[in-house]
Amino acid sequence: VVATALPFGMPAFASEEDTQKHIMEFTGGKTPEAGKITLDAPEIAENGNTVPIGVTVDSPMTADSYVESVILLADGNPSPGVATFNFTPMSGTAAATTRMRLAKTQNVVAVAKMNDGSVFMDQKQIKVTIGGCGG
Amino acid sequence: MSTPKPRVKLPKSAAKDEIITIKTLISHDMESGQRKDKDGNAIPRKILNTFTCEFNGQAVFSCNMEPAISANPYFEFNARVPESGTFKFSWVDDDGTVITHEQDIEVK
Amino acid sequence: GSWSRAAAQQALTEDDLLGMQGYGNVTLLHLTDLHAQLMPLYFREPSINLGVGEVAGLPPHLTGKDFLQRFGIEAGTPEAYALTSEDFVSLAKTYGRMGGVDRIARIVKRIRADRPDNTLFLDGGDTWQGSYTAQQTQGQDMVEVMNALGVDAMTAHWEFTYGTDRVTELVDSLPFPFLCGNVYDAEWDEPAFKAYEMFERGGAQVAVIGQAFPYTPIANPRYMIPNWSFGIREEDVQANIDKARAEGAELVVLLSHNGFDVDRKLASRVTGLDVILSGHTHDALPDVIQVGQTLIVASGSNGKFVSRLDLDVRDGAVHGYSYNLIPVFSDVIEPDADMTALVTQLREPFAADLARELGRTETLLYRRGNFNGTFDDLICQALLSQRDAEIALSPGFRWGTSVLPGQAITFEDVHNATAMTYPAAYRSSMSGQMLKDILEDVGDNLFNPDPYYQQGGDMVRVGGMGYSIDPTAAMGSRISDMTLLSTGEPIQADRDYIVSGWASVNEGTEGPPVWDVVENHLKENPVVSVEDTSSVKVKM
Ligand SMILES: [Mn+2]
Ligand SMILES: [Mn+2]
């Protein structure tokens, strides 16, 4: 039960307002609705240096109706940006996974922008724990 | 650091218009720009900032990466395969280097 | 039950425990969290086992008289002795030791003889770790014993603390499947082990899906298994259920090391799961708990119980069940001679060491419970004195056997409480803030109201320091009144304290193995007397 080193060196963290600002920039001022997008992440990070994070968006992914992009943000890292996934109808399904750094327990937010301009959001708290001790 | 080596997993063949899964990994430190060395000096940011996947010249998937992406960036995504052809993957480094990898797929 | 009345008349027989009528066509036998205990033993169940949020006051979060009342058990009966901490010391003298793999072998053989084509014997994990002999043989003794018992499939947790190479080597040697549907290769995110196995029993297709402890790389050292990634992975559980059903499974069983509350939540969120054989949190429940269509079985730990669940499986569905939590009373169940011989042979090279008396205790030594147990108080005293520390920390493991007042404390007893692959007793400096952060962090792992965020251990034990805890408070505000006991002064956030502890999950932790620290302490203090501590106060 000895604390582990954090993946980032400096303890300056983004804020929820920062994250909000990024969301609004991405959506062009629209408030995202719940639904359509699912954020897939572990409840507790095994390793704050590399946390799997995935999104799936419900969309037919045709030339007429597809997901343009998904932005991933985290409100407890030094800055909220994580990644932007850009999809096309050639993607087949609007789903992607990557791995991210988490400096501490925080919310990860995913916002999807459809080609018709509508926006959807999901979020999940991922816990970063000191670890040790068990049954 | 030696030249990053990309590794890609995708099937050799697919049915026409089948949706396949592609996985990519590349070795890279993804230096965040937020760390200090042991003398207290900031270590400058040096990350891969963009990943793209094209099929026969058409955009399939891309990602803009921030320093919060882990070292050795990993991506898993899908692609619809309308015909036989070539997937081209590229990673762009902050220093301007572009690393590319190509892999063919046959539609049966 | 009937055997409890028989026992009251001093006439408990093996037939009372094992003579139940078979029901239906499938018999599941479940043994879990044996923690490498080959011999009959004493193991006191918890007197404090708090549940928070929706599960407050629900089984298994009942202890003592509340537990007896909930399950209609009379005080003083063998059931009360086996299942609770009530009158433990006096009942231990009446009813004796429990467990022993030769008794378990007898149970399994007898049921298999009665139901040869119907029985599936499943091992829930935490089997290969927890004793000196398992430690010395890196799990080999347990693999030989479980092979001799004829296990049909297993899943795992502490097994992984032998590290990737050893686990792979042992798994490759098993004559039965090692099932972990929630363990993935960390690099390419592909399944690292087989997820499920299909069996035919009593004319029914039975799918057994394995679920390893989801938080193994967090609760135990990740550096020992760097290429494996775990997690609850609820969607994968559902996908495996659906796949098994599509392949014709008529009975779907999750052989789980999730812990009870995680399993209860999981059962409420997946469909098509008939049975969860639950492990990890060491709960023993005399009835199944039903959530929707799913039956959850909790079979205890340390070889004290074997669960028997008989099911009537017809036309792709379960039509009824009959359940028995079989208590392994070692003085009642006849040992299986072949297994006794194997155990004797496996222990023989270590027999002289195991029997060595290191001291004697005047009070009950136990570990299990949410907060400090007396065996951990003894370990903390050893860390404080032998490592010259102000504060001691000892992990809240749920394994570790009990020693009765008046008994010798043997080398084997000490190793039963400490045997593990990362035993270094570190000595380091920690700020008061860091100590608070550790207590809050472990407190949240135990008392987070969402079971998916729980890791299933008990609270870290402390020596030299007192504190208050409100389990129902939010992360960061559960802990208060932290006090340095030697001076009575409040712990100061910005002051550094000399702390000794063991079982750090960090690579490169240095210090002597904790069992040597305890042995040296006992050399200097051979007569042990540890009353229940009052240094932890629960405020709710
Ligand atoms: Mn266990
Ligand atoms: Mn366990």
Side-chain angles (χ1 to χ4, degrees):
Chain A
V1 222
V2 177
T4 44
L6 296 173
F8 290 96
M10 287 183 257
F13 298 119
S15 64
E16 280 177 47
E17 296 88 88
D18 255 2
T19 308
Q20 274 307 313
K21 219 179 83 194
H22 275 71
I23 292 173
M24 287 305 155
E25 271 170 30
F26 176 73
T27 64
K30 255 190 213 167
T31 302
E33 296 169 50
K36 294 222 186 229
I37 181 164
T38 309
L39 182 64
D40 181 20
E43 284 77 15
I44 309 179
E46 287 177 359
N47 175 359
N49 285 310
T50 170
V51 182
I53 186 106
V55 292
T56 306
V57 191
D58 182 13
S59 161
M61 295 305 278
T62 58
D64 296 335
S65 174
Y66 65 97
V67 182
E68 278 184 2
S69 51
V70 171
I71 192 167
L72 287 173
L73 301 164
D75 63 20
N77 276 345
S79 75
V82 177
T84 310
F85 296 142
N86 304 298
F87 298 98
T88 73
M90 286 284 287
S91 307
T93 47
T97 301
T98 187
R99 292 169 187 158
M100 68 172 292
R101 294 165 167 153
L102 278 179
K104 60 173 187 179
T105 298
Q106 59 188 284
N107 291 308
V108 176
V109 180
V111 186
K113 197 194 306 179
M114 314 308 222
N115 66 320
D116 66 2
S118 57
V119 285
F120 299 90
M121 185 174 114
D122 192 18
Q123 62 178 320
K124 183 165 184 176
Q125 189 187 65
I126 305 178
K127 196 172 144 183
V128 176
T129 150
I130 295 169
C133 316
Chain B
M1 195 171 72
S2 59
T3 316
K5 273 208 188 74
R7 287 181 289 160
V8 173
K9 282 195 173 188
L10 65 90
K12 285 191 170 59
S13 64
K16 182 174 159 51
D17 286 327
E18 184 181 338
I19 296 170
I20 62 162
T21 297
I22 299 174
K23 296 179 181 186
T24 70
L25 260 175
I26 187 164
S27 12
H28 196 286
D29 288 346
M30 297 294 278
E31 188 57 59
S32 68
Q34 287 144 351
R35 298 196 312 147
K36 287 179 179 172
D37 66 18
K38 55 183 184 301
D39 302 323
N41 305 312
I43 305 171
R45 167 182 148 150
K46 187 177 183 299
I47 68 167
L48 297 172
N49 57 51
T50 312
F51 165 76
T52 54
C53 169
E54 291 175 355
F55 181 70
N56 289 349
Q58 271 191 289
V60 173
F61 171 79
S62 70
C63 179
N64 312 103
M65 290 174 263
E66 302 291 338
I69 292 294
S70 306
N72 309 325
Y74 169 84
F75 291 106
E76 182 177 337
F77 55 94
N78 303 112
R80 192 166 56 78
V81 188
E83 65 204 6
S84 294
T86 305
F87 280 101
K88 183 179 172 186
F89 306 93
S90 28
W91 291 260
V92 182
D93 194 296
D94 277 346
D95 69 8
T97 313
V98 181
I99 304 128
T100 60
H101 177 89
E102 293 190 359
Q103 209 157 312
D104 295 340
I105 190 163
E106 189 191 345
V107 165
K108 286 184 171 164
Chain C
S2 61
W3 51 267
S4 134
R5 279 190 298 278
Q9 299 152 18
Q10 305 290 310
L12 191 59
T13 66
E14 190 179 281
D15 282 342
D16 294 325
L17 298 179
L18 302 180
M20 67 280 281
Q21 286 292 310
Y23 172 86
N25 54 336
V26 178
T27 294
L28 302 178
L29 297 183
H30 183 226
L31 176 69
T32 192
D33 295 86
L34 180 58
H35 285 284
Q37 295 301 318
L38 300 177
M39 303 296 287
L41 48 77
Y42 296 108
F43 184 89
R44 196 203 79 146
E45 298 296 332
S47 57
I48 303 179
N49 187 18
L50 302 171
V52 289
E54 291 175 7
V55 303
L58 295 183
H61 302 288
L62 293 167
T63 56
K65 293 188 171 64
D66 296 334
F67 188 104
L68 297 179
Q69 194 177 6
R70 166 67 173 75
F71 292 104
I73 300 168
E74 272 179 55
T77 58
E79 284 165 304
Y81 164 60
L83 291 164
T84 73
S85 60
E86 287 290 286
D87 297 325
F88 179 76
V89 171
S90 67
L91 295 180
K93 286 170 187 155
T94 307
Y95 298 117
R97 290 183 165 86
M98 297 191 69
V101 289
D102 50 4
R103 275 76 170 181
I104 292 169
R106 168 73 175 173
I107 295 170
V108 174
K109 278 189 184 172
R110 223 184 122 157
I111 294 169
R112 274 203 173 120
D114 188 36
R115 312 261 290 169
D117 302 320
N118 312 76
T119 304
L120 257 183
F121 177 42
L122 302 167
D123 170 7
D126 278 359
T127 306
W128 299 352
Q129 170 276 343
S131 72
Y132 183 70
T133 58
Q135 178 81 9
Q136 291 301 305
T137 63
Q138 297 283 288
Q140 187 65 45
D141 65 333
M142 296 314 298
V143 168
E144 286 179 36
V145 163
M146 298 315 279
N147 287 349
L149 279 176
V151 170
D152 288 305
M154 77 177 289
T155 191
H157 167 202
W158 274 87
E159 284 72 10
F160 290 107
T161 63
Y162 290 115
T164 307
D165 292 348
R166 181 59 174 160
V167 172
T168 307
E169 181 180 29
L170 288 177
V171 167
D172 288 347
S173 80
L174 295 178
F176 54 83
F178 184 87
L179 303 174
C180 304
N182 60 330
V183 182
Y184 279 66
D185 159 69
E187 190 172 44
W188 288 106
D189 198 35
E190 280 159 14
F193 298 94
K194 195 166 189 187
Y196 64 91
E197 180 83 9
M198 298 285 275
F199 298 90
E200 191 184 322
R201 290 294 184 278
Q205 291 292 319
V206 182
V208 178
I209 304 170
Q211 174 87 348
F213 176 50
Y215 295 127
T216 303
I218 300 166
N220 305 94
R222 178 164 46 85
Y223 68 85
M224 293 179 172
I225 43 166
N227 298 321
W228 288 329
S229 173
F230 294 61
I232 296 170
R233 298 178 186 257
E234 189 184 276
E235 326 73 54
D236 291 338
V237 174
Q238 185 66 66
N240 284 320
I241 295 169
D242 295 346
K243 242 172 98 185
R245 290 266 177 212
E247 284 171 29
E250 296 167 275
L251 176 70
V252 179
V253 178
L254 188 71
L255 178 61
S256 168
H257 205 94
N258 275 334
F260 195 90
D261 288 338
V262 176
D263 280 325
R264 176 162 34 206
K265 178 173 172 180
L266 183 67
S268 74
R269 292 170 59 89
V270 297
T271 56
L273 185 56
D274 299 302
V275 176
I276 300 181
L277 302 174
S278 184
H280 179 61
T281 39
H282 292 201
D283 311 294
L285 297 178
D287 289 338
V288 296
I289 302 292
Q290 189 162 355
V291 176
Q293 292 304 302
T294 310
L295 307 173
I296 310 178
V297 167
S299 310
S301 69
N302 288 276
K304 282 179 72 177
F305 304 95
V306 175
S307 279
R308 173 180 179 168
L309 180 63
D310 284 11
L311 297 139
D312 178 11
V313 184
R314 273 177 289 128
D315 313 319
V318 175
H319 293 266
Y321 70 91
S322 163
Y323 177 66
N324 279 279
L325 179 71
I326 303 168
V328 187
F329 286 109
S330 66
D331 295 338
V332 177
I333 293 168
E334 186 189 319
D336 174 78
D338 293 344
M339 187 59 87
T340 307
L342 176 59
V343 169
T344 306
Q345 178 213 317
L346 290 168
R347 285 168 58 88
E348 198 281 325
F350 314 102
D353 265 333
L354 292 170
R356 201 146 53 80
E357 293 188 6
L358 306 180
R360 184 162 290 277
T361 184
E362 294 177 341
T363 52
L364 174 69
L365 298 180
Y366 69 93
R367 173 178 282 159
R368 181 73 182 91
N370 284 162
F371 306 105
N372 279 39
T374 49
F375 211 129
D376 284 314
D377 287 333
L378 171 63
I379 292 172
C380 285
Q381 286 170 8
L383 290 166
L384 291 173
S385 69
Q386 299 295 310
R387 300 295 282 146
D388 191 22
E390 297 175 277
I391 292 168
L393 298 177
S394 189
F397 296 136
R398 294 191 173 196
W399 46 272
T401 54
S402 307
V403 186
L404 299 186
Q407 280 194 313
I409 304 168
T410 63
F411 180 90
E412 178 163 29
D413 293 326
V414 169
H415 284 261
N416 280 347
T418 56
M420 51 139 60
T421 54
Y422 47 106
Y426 62 83
R427 180 178 191 273
S428 66
S429 163
M430 289 185 198
S431 68
Q433 184 61 50
M434 189 165 171
L435 286 162
K436 165 92 156 65
D437 290 347
I438 288 171
L439 294 181
E440 290 285 359
D441 194 75
V442 181
D444 196 60
N445 292 340
L446 179 56
F447 296 121
N448 192 302
D450 181 345
Y452 278 10
Y453 289 84
Q454 294 172 6
Q455 293 178 25
D458 282 315
M459 193 65 190
V460 59
R461 278 61 166 133
V462 293
M465 184 173 77
Y467 68 91
S468 302
I469 180 167
D470 177 358
T472 62
M475 166 86 172
S477 48
R478 288 189 180 92
I479 308 294
S480 58
D481 308 333
M482 288 168 63
T483 308
L484 189 66
L485 295 179
S486 59
T487 63
E489 284 168 13
I491 298 286
Q492 294 162 35
D494 56 359
R495 205 203 113 176
D496 284 339
Y497 298 86
I498 301 296
V499 179
S500 182
W502 60 290
S504 165
V505 296
N506 295 331
E507 195 165 11
T509 302
E510 289 176 4
V514 65
W515 47 78
D516 283 354
V517 172
V518 176
E519 184 168 345
N520 290 336
H521 175 77
L522 287 172
K523 250 180 220 150
E524 293 168 19
N525 308 276
V527 180
V528 171
S529 177
V530 191
E531 296 300 338
D532 275 313
T533 177
S534 58
S535 57
V536 181
K537 296 197 166 53
V538 180
K539 297 179 175 173
M540 300 176 62

